[in-house]
Amino acid sequence: IIPLLLIQLLFTMGLGMLTACANLFYRDVRYLVQLALGLWIYLVPNIYMIDRVEAHPVLYKIYMLNPIAVVIETARRLTFPQMGNAAELLPYVALSAVTATITFIMGYIVFKRNEPRFAEFV
């Protein structure tokens, strides 16, 4: 479960750095982030079981591009083996790890590039 937490941490930190910079320079981003997070709640399998999405193969593949959905479903299957085999999610976990790493790197680059201008806008 530690690699899943690392994926979630990298993705969250990358998005956090990106939205922090955007919010500093454009104050309305705060409201867009709130809206996006409110909608994102329904894009992860917290409230419902993923078997509702698995019934539609094309929709399932699109759904599993969401790194947080993959982390939550894999952690669920590791914790409760009767929910399904976690090994079948390994390709999606690898894709999530790549996505999280790219998001973190992009967020870090944007944050460091704009850091000297932070004092002007605060």
Side-chain angles (χ1 to χ4, degrees):
I1 209 122
I2 300 297
L4 295 176
L5 293 175
L6 182 61
I7 291 170
Q8 183 178 1
L9 180 69
L10 283 176
F11 187 71
T12 306
M13 287 177 60
L15 280 181
M17 287 186 283
L18 285 171
T19 56
C21 284
N23 185 46
L24 183 64
F25 299 124
Y26 308 104
R27 299 293 179 169
D28 291 339
V29 170
R30 176 176 68 165
Y31 303 110
L32 293 174
V33 169
Q34 288 176 352
L35 178 66
L37 287 177
L39 292 174
W40 203 346
I41 289 172
Y42 297 104
L43 295 178
V44 294
N46 273 339
I47 301 171
Y48 51 87
M49 299 301 293
I50 201 163
D51 59 352
R52 295 184 182 258
V53 181
E54 285 178 334
H56 308 284
V58 175
L59 184 61
Y60 178 72
K61 288 182 180 182
I62 293 170
Y63 183 80
M64 294 305 277
L65 292 176
N66 180 355
I68 300 300
V70 173
V71 167
I72 290 172
E73 184 59 27
T74 307
R76 180 181 288 151
R77 289 185 184 191
L78 287 172
T79 306
F80 305 108
Q82 65 271 22
M83 304 287 286
N85 188 4
E88 62 190 31
L89 295 177
L90 282 179
Y92 297 113
V93 171
L95 183 63
S96 293
V98 169
T99 304
T101 305
I102 290 171
T103 305
F104 178 77
I105 291 170
M106 283 177 30
Y108 184 79
I109 289 170
V110 168
F111 190 86
K112 284 299 183 181
R113 189 170 290 163
N114 290 311
E115 193 174 22
R117 298 178 34 204
F118 286 174
E120 298 171 14
F121 286 90
V122 175

